[in-house]
């Protein structure tokens, strides 16, 4: 089978009565007796054969033979469904015979439709004879509205077909009929839609008539949007003043969607409407059609109004496309120091007014703080990396103390736009060499963490040697915000040197943050956690520390957590950390995991702790039928190469298994992933391979069956001998590979390399026929 | 007159049509539409009057969301399960109790046709199982109602096209319930992509993990609960005997009523992918995938899958049943990931997510919320954020994926004609059987 292959183990467990898939021959023998709620594997076999067939005629005959026999209704429906995919003229008679059975007729009709026999046999239900429909329409009792409307609907389908084939005369008759004033609005709207399709060149006149004497204003609104031409814009704009207030807001929205600035004047007058809804609609509309002249009004309302009016003014201020808008904003920004002036400058940023950058830079020298702040906000968007020196220099100017944080934020954002990360901190580093005040240098050091790279870290390390505590603290805090673990050795040095309590606290806090952020969570991190354990002073740092240790899947984590269990303030966090470690070890060491969590089921522990402890027990129970005792090494990859290309490459677990960094593989965290080892969750990333290893100890020479599923490819070794090699992408399916294992008395090493070709990355394994065999990690 | 004399007959139609105008003048055809303020009439409340059809889990959510808007007024609820409609009526009546002294409570219906026949209802919300979406949507359009229809818009591609045509024919407003695209973050991400902030887009990775991925055994036939009109629940779907897990919620894993995870949350995530790719009014050129459909048991939709789509713009989309749920757009200069649900964004750099889209650049228009957007457009007769064509194309992606998985080969698709160009059997798989008398 191609894509429905061997039976999923999960299903096997859920459905113990299922033995194996029948052959196609056997399936055809039994399918006629199928009734709902019985085993449907015969249907599955036939369905896959039909769905993927290259010889439909042969299968069609076999299906028809089922129908000719004494098949149940459930079987007939299934057969019809199959014939709807592959049926030919040969099926017509059989299908026609089924049309009288109401519970099967729908299927039979589908078969007939698919073999293009529907129109002949199903006349009346799928009308395609327009002439007959016309005759029927005239015979209808006009009082029976439903039938009249249904007939008109069918006639509109005829009209659309006629129009497509060039018969506009017939279509016009239908649409004119629908458009009559005594029909309901939606029938008339359909008539209008048809009339415009019929004569698109005359759309404006048609719409004008429908809006005025036709009484179809709302049905016309889509055409107010879409009817092309300046003439249409003028006509619709002129009509605005005549639209009743209750429809005016909708009309303005439609008029604005034309995006024709010539309508702006008419729309702007409506901003003075007494009807709030109309006024707001006009304000929103100005964003689509307005120009520089509308900017003062919008700015005023943005600053001095509230609620929906303010939001409309704000949105339109940012949306006006008129080229003069930015110049008007700059002029207003330059003309005073009140809130409106600042809002004008800020809007230049919100509008991404790149061409106004130089003028906004000049505003940084304004005396008013609000204007400076607004200019910085705008520059954050419109300034380029070329402007960094100018902005950085301001950090050293005492006059800008009040804008220091805003300046730092703007500089960081602009620097992050430099394409090469290794150059993003250059301007700051250059300035650092000449920094002549603590505040200036501290600002620069803080900035280095927003553009983290190796050059910046060098500067931070240098700053740790400064005699100025302000500078040292700034460097420590900047290191604490670093996106990777590189600063940890420097922070360890700070802790060991212990120049001041504040610095030690900051360094320890920073180390916890950095260590907790490292992925993957390998056991070698434990040494770093151990190094700082004795320096923790604040409860916050201790809790973060425990949170981090709780993610390390090694028995040593229990020892590191243990002292915190006896501290009242950290007891709950330590208990939670213990249960998390136990969960990670629950596959490889279920007995130890149970032992570790059992004390935390007691009522004396908070609910989250008890829940987590129970989760450990549930996970062990859930995964009981699967092979969960695995060590993991990896990921391994070759930079820039897809995993398929290095499928046969021998990485350390093959070349030097004793020294490979094996660690315990945790079970998947989601409860629905029964038996799954989720490498994407534990490691992540793309185009790589990981190795999983377990030891199978046999009491004597014996055999066992290894059931394996991997996403994507895999290679399997038993005692160094390759058993299986699959080098292509596939989904995770339990038991997809069935591998006999020949085990020696004593320890046998079973190893699986699982490759990742994009997307999910996981393994699911089971050992069967395994009497006298135990699986465990080394 | 000979029936096959089409030209004569058609000209004759117009002659007689002139005659019927006079005869029809006295027909009670005009449905009062004063609630909308149509034709110069002032609406008594200026609210959009609404009914919900399908008031189970998602229907309750949608109903509450629409009910809470200041410019709606619910008049009716409809569900084939009495307990659902009674619960819906109860919370609506409670909501309106203190807001409208004259309101005597919403009416309840079992049959949606009775709801559509009411002249005083402007719009309907449809949150039935998927196999009903198209039938009710088309009927609603024909009855002159505006429509909020849950995703997927239809249970097959031809049904979806029928919905699009009906809505267009009658000038109705329709919002597909793919509400993820109404989130500010999803819109912003799409605007960043459309305006070149990640360079040329080349790959889209769609993650659609399956939460309820366990198949279930074959189920026994059960007596139909007294509160459920089971025949109406089945509606256009093939007849099958009742069993509990065929109906509420679980129907989505049975292909007669839905398309599994692919059409369920796939209709959200693939919708965002289509939006970001700027292809939400068209479709892919090729589809190639594999999936695992349980060999036995009640559920028969794909429980794991990997499907590749190729577009005319050179973009490749890979849809896989993995987490985290969301969509990643990868361009020459960076990437953006939209988490579904929630809309949280991740990107290749922090600076990317601080980018401002200027007025001259492409904007997709802000939504005040998916339900509010619908009501706003019912009033202004504009286009909703997920109009019929967009909803149909997103649902089509899901259906195409399911067909490609079933067919097990690379399929070539013509988005214009909505036909496969290399596979007759796959074209036949586009259609679904309908029980009489239901059809779109």
């Amino acid at each position: 089978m191609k894509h429905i292959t061997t039976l999923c183990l999960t299903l096997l467990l859920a459905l113990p009565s299922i033995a194996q898939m029948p052959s196609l021959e056997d399936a055809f023998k039994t399918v006629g007796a199928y009734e709902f709620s019985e085993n449907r594997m015969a249907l599955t076999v036939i369905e896959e054969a039909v769905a993927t067939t290259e010889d439909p005629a042969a299968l069609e005959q076999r299906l028809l033979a089922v129908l000719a026999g004494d098949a149940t209704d459930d079987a007939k429906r299934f057969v019809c469904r199959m014939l709807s995919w592959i049926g030919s003229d040969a099926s017509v008679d059989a299908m026609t015979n089924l049309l009288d059975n109401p519970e099967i007729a729908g299927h039979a009709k589908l078969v007939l439709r698919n073999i293009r026999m529907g129109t002949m046999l199903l006349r009346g239900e799928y009308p395609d004879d327009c002439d007959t429909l016309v005759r029927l329409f005239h015979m209808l009792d006009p009082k029976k509205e439903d039938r009249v409307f249904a007939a008109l609907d069918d006639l509109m389908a005829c009209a659309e077909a006629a129009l497509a084939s060039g018969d506009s005369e017939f279509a016009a008759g239908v649409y004119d009929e629908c458009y009559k004033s005594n029909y309901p609005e939606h029938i008339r709207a359909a008539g209008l839609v048809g009339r415009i399709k019929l004569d698109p060149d005359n759309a404006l006149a048609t719409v004008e008539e429908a809006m005025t004497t036709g009484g179809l204003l709302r049905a016309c609104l889509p055409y107010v949007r879409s009817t092309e031409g300046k003439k249409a814009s003028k006509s619709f704009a002129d009509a605005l003043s005549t639209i009743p207030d209750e429809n005016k807001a909708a009309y303005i929205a439609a008029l604005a969607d034309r995006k024709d600035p010539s309508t702006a004047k008419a729309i702007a007058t409506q901003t003075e409407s007494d009807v709030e809804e109309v006024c707001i609609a006009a304000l929103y509309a100005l964003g689509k059609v307005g120009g520089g002249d509308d900017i003062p009004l919008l700015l005023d309302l943005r600053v001095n109004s509230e609620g929906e009016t303010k939001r409309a003014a704000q949105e339109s201020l940012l949306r006006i496309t008129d080229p003069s808008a930015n110049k008007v904003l700059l002029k207003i920004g330059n003309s005073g120091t009140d809130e409106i002036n600042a809002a004008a400058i800020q809007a230049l940023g919100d509008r991404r007014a790149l061409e106004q950058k130089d003028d906004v830079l000049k505003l940084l020298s304004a005396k008013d703080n609000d204007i400076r702040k607004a200019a910085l906000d705008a520059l954050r968007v419109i300034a380029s990396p070329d402007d960094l020196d100018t902005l950085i220099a301001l950090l050293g100017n005492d006059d800008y103390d009040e804008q220091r944080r805003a300046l730092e934020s703007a500089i960081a954002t602009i620097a992050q736009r430099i394409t090469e990360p290794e150059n993003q901190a250059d301007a700051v580093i250059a300035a650092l060499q000449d920094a002549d005040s603590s505040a200036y240098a501290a600002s620069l050091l803080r900035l280095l963490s927003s553009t983290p790279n190796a050059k910046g870290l060098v500067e931070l390390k240098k700053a740790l040697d400064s005699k100025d505590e302000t500078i040292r603290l700034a460097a420590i805090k900047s290191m604490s915000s670093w996106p990777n673990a590189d600063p940890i050795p420097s922070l360890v040095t700070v802790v060991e040197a212990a120049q001041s309590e504040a610095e030690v606290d900051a360094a320890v806090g920073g180390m916890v943050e950095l260590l907790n952020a490292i992925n993957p969570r390998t056991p070698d991190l434990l040494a770093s956690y151990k190094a700082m354990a004795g320096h923790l002073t604040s409860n916050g740092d201790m809790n973060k520390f425990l949170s981090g240790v709780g993610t390390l899947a090694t028995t040593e984590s229990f020892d590191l957590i243990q002292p915190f269990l006896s501290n009242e303030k950290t007891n709950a966090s330590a208990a939670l950390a213990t249960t998390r470690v136990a969960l990670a070890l629950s596959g490889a060491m279920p007995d130890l995991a149970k032992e570790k969590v059992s004390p935390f089921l007691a009522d004396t522990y908070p609910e989250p702790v008890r829940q987590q402890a129970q989760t450990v027990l549930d996970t062990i129970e859930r995964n009981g039928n699967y092979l969960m005792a695995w060590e993991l090494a990896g990921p391994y990859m070759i930079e820039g190469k897809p995993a398929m290309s290095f499928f046969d490459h021998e990485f350390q677990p093959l070349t030097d298994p004793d020294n490979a960094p094996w660690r315990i593989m945790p079970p998947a965290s989601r409860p629905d992933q029964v038996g799954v080892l989720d490498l994407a969750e534990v490691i992540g990333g793309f185009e790589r391979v990981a190795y999983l290893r377990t030891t199978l100890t046999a009491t004597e020479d014996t055999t066992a069956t290894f059931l394996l599923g991997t996403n994507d490819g895999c290679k399997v070794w038993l005692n160094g001998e390759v058993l299986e090699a699959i080098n292509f992408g596939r989904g995770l399916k339990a038991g997809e590979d069935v591998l006999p294992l020949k085990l020696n008395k004593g320890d046998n090493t079973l190893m699986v390399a699982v490759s990742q070709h994009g997307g999910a990355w996981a393994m699911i394994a089971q050992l069967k026929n395994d009497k006298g065999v135990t699986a465990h990690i080394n | 007159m000979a029936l096959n004399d089409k030209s004569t007959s058609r000209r004759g139609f117009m002659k007689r049509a002139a005659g019927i105008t006079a005869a029809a003048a006295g027909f009670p055809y005009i449905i009062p539409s004063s609630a909308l303020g149509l034709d110069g009439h002032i609406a008594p409340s200026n609210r959009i009057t609404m009914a919900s059809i399908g008031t189970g889990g998602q229907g309750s959510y949608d109903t509450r969301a629409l009910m809470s808007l200041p410019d709606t007024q619910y008049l009716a609820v409809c569900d084939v399960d009495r307990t659902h409609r009674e619960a819906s009526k109860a919370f609506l009546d409670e909501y309106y109790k203190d807001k409208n002294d004259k309101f005597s409570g919403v009416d309840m219906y079992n049959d949606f046709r009775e709801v559509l026949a009411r002249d005083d209802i402007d719009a309907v919300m449809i949150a039935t199982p998927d196999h009903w979406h198209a039938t009710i949507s088309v009927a609603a359009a024909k009855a002159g109602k505006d429509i909020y229809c849950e995703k997927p818009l239809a249970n097959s591609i031809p049904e979806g096209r029928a919905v699009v045509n009906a809505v267009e024919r009658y000038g109705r407003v329709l919002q597909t319930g793919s509400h993820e695209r109404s989130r500010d973050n999803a819109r912003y991400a799409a605007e960043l992509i459309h305006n070149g902030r990640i360079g040329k887009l080349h790959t889209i990775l769609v993650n659609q993990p399956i939460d309820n991925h366990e198949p279930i055994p074959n189920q026994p036939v059960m007596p139909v609960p007294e509160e459920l009109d089971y025949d109406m629940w089945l509606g256009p779907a093939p007849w099958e005997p009742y069993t509990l897990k065929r109906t509420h919620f679980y129907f989505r894993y049975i292909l007669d009523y839905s398309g599994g995870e692919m059409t369920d949350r796939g209709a959200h995530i693939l919708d965002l992918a289509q939006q970001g790719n700027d292809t939400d009014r068209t479709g892919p050129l090729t589809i190639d995938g594999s999936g695992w459909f349980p060999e036995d048991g009640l559920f028969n939709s794909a429980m794991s899958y990997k499907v590749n789509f190729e577009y005319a713009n050179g973009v490749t989309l890979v849809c896989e049943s993995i987490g985290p749920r969301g969509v990643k757009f990868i361009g020459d200069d960076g990437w953006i990931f939209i988490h579904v649900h929630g809309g949280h964004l991740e990107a290749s750099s922090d600076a990317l997510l601080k980018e401002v889209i200027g007025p001259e650049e492409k904007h997709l228009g802000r939504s005040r919320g998916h339900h509010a957007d619908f009501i706003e457009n019912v009033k202004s007769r504009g286009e909703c954020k997920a109009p019929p064509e967009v909803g149909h194309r997103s649902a089509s992606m899901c259906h195409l994926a399911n067909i490609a998985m079933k067919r097990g080969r690379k399929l070539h698709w013509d988005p214009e004609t909505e036909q496969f160009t290399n596979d007759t059997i796959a074209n036949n798989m586009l259609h679904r059987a309908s029980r009489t008398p239901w059809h779109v």
Side-chain angles (χ1 to χ4, degrees), chain A residues 680-751:
Chain A
E681 183 182 20
V682 176
I683 302 174
F686 297 97
E687 302 298 345
R688 46 192 54 198
V689 65
Y691 293 79
L692 290 136
R693 182 176 77 171
T694 190
T695 301
L696 302 177
T697 304
T699 51
E700 57 188 354
D701 287 356
T702 186
T703 59
T705 306
F706 182 45
L707 303 176
L708 178 68
T710 56
N711 179 339
D712 290 288
C714 68
K715 195 178 265 194
V716 183
W717 296 263
L718 178 64
N719 296 327
E721 183 186 340
V722 176
L723 297 187
E724 177 76 302
I726 293 171
N727 187 19
F728 54 78
R730 61 178 186 175
L732 185 69
K733 192 184 295 183
E736 182 152 29
D737 308 314
V738 181
L739 306 174
L741 303 179
K742 196 174 174 184
L743 301 171
N744 303 320
K745 183 180 177 183
D747 288 349
N748 299 267
T749 302
L750 179 66
M751 186 165 76

Side-chain angles (χ1 to χ4, degrees), chain A residues 615-642:
Chain A
T615 297
V616 176
L617 301 182
D618 293 345
T619 303
I620 293 169
E621 171 79 18
R622 190 167 59 232
N623 293 330
N625 289 319
Y626 293 86
L627 182 47
M628 306 298 292
W630 295 92
E631 291 176 290
L632 164 73
Y636 297 95
M637 68 209 86
I638 296 178
E639 195 65 35
K641 300 260 187 176

Side-chain angles (χ1 to χ4, degrees), chain B residues 205-209 269-270 272 320 322-328 337-341:
Chain B
L205 300 178
V206 169
N207 291 0
Q208 290 177 189
I269 311 172
L270 287 165
L272 295 183
E320 200 170 357
I322 57 169
R325 184 173 287 115
V327 54
K328 185 175 190 177
F337 186 90
I338 308 174
H339 285 267
V340 175
H341 306 286

Side-chain angles (χ1 to χ4, degrees), chain A residues 2-8 10-11 14-15 18 21 36-41 44 47 51-54 74 77 81 84-86 103 106-107 109-110 114 125 130-132 134-135 137-138 142 145 148-149 153 155-157 160 162 167 169-170 173-174 177 180-187 189-190 193 197 215-216 218 221-222 225 246-247 250 277 284 308 318-321 349-352 381 413 416-417 670 672 711-712 733 758-760, chain B residues 3-6 9-11 13-14 16-17 20-21 24-25 27-31 36-42 46 141-144 168-172 197 205 209-211 213-221 238-241 243 246 256 290-300 304 306 320 322 328 350-351 354-361 363 368 378-382 405-409 425 428-429 431-436 439:
Chain A
K2 289 179 73 175
H3 52 281
I4 305 172
T5 54
T6 51
L7 194 60
C8 170
T10 314
L11 180 61
L15 307 165
I18 298 167
M21 299 287 280
F36 173 77
S37 75
E38 291 177 352
N39 179 321
R40 64 176 179 84
M41 293 176 77
T44 301
E47 180 177 317
T52 58
T53 185
E54 300 294 343
D74 288 337
R77 271 191 292 275
R81 195 180 304 223
S84 76
W85 294 352
I86 60 166
E103 298 304 354
H107 283 77
K109 286 174 187 171
L110 179 62
N114 280 353
E125 190 162 335
C130 297
D131 298 329
T132 306
V134 170
R135 247 173 11 101
F137 179 74
H138 293 306
E145 295 173 20
V148 171
F149 297 159
D153 187 66
L155 281 168
M156 280 188 268
E160 284 157 18
D167 185 357
E169 196 179 357
F170 175 77
V174 174
E177 173 65 24
K180 284 176 182 169
S181 61
N182 51 338
Y183 284 130
E185 189 254 4
H186 67 285
I187 302 282
V193 170
K197 268 190 196 167
L216 278 177
R218 292 175 66 88
L221 292 180
R225 291 181 168 87
E246 58 268 25
N247 286 326
E277 186 186 23
Y284 276 115
E308 193 64 18
L318 306 187
R319 292 289 170 264
I320 286 178
T321 56
D350 296 338
R351 289 174 54 81
R352 204 166 183 260
V381 178
T413 304
Q416 285 166 359
R417 278 197 217 112
R670 278 196 358 234
D672 58 331
N711 179 339
D712 290 288
K733 192 184 295 183
Chain B
L3 278 176
N4 58 359
D5 183 359
K6 291 190 175 182
S9 172
R10 288 175 179 189
R11 292 200 177 88
F13 171 78
M14 287 184 295
R16 280 189 297 278
I20 207 169
T21 307
F27 299 170
Y29 284 166
I30 297 176
I31 296 171
L36 273 174
L38 298 181
D39 307 328
H41 293 103
I42 297 172
N46 203 26
K142 287 179 182 176
E168 184 190 344
R169 181 183 291 168
Y170 288 96
R172 296 299 95 196
R197 300 295 203 278
L205 300 178
I210 298 174
D211 291 343
H213 79 300
E214 293 289 327
I216 63 168
N218 288 305
Q219 300 288 295
V221 175
W239 189 87
E240 294 279 7
T243 190
R246 180 184 302 289
D256 275 340
S290 63
W292 172 54
F293 297 84
E295 291 84 353
D296 200 9
L298 181 63
F299 297 162
N300 60 358
S304 71
K306 186 171 186 175
E320 200 170 357
I322 57 169
K328 185 175 190 177
D350 291 345
K354 292 176 186 166
E355 283 285 310
V356 170
I357 310 294
E360 296 282 0
E361 297 186 279
H363 290 263
R368 296 157 194 264
V378 167
K379 293 169 106 176
S380 71
R381 314 311 296 169
M405 284 191 273
K406 276 278 180 200
R407 194 71 180 107
R409 66 186 59 185
I425 292 175
N428 286 341
M429 289 176 169
H431 299 277
R432 286 174 181 271
S434 287
R435 272 203 317 160
T436 302
H439 61 89

Side-chain angles (χ1 to χ4, degrees), chain A residues 17 31 89 91 119 126 190 245 256 302 318 338 372 381 393 413 419 436 495 564 597 682 696 711 723 773:
Chain A
S17 62
V31 68
D89 290 357
S91 295
T119 52
Y126 303 102
D245 277 349
R302 175 185 173 179
L318 306 187
D338 67 16
R372 285 185 188 178
V381 178
T413 304
T419 316
D436 53 4
V495 173
F564 295 91
V597 301
V682 176
L696 302 177
N711 179 339
L723 297 187
V773 181

Side-chain angles (χ1 to χ4, degrees), chain A residues 339-361:
Chain A
E339 205 176 339
I340 285 185
N341 306 111
I345 298 164
Q346 204 166 12
L348 288 168
D350 296 338
R351 289 174 54 81
R352 204 166 183 260
L354 301 175
E355 77 281 7
Q356 308 295 342
K357 181 190 72 176
D358 291 341
D359 292 306
V360 178
L361 276 168

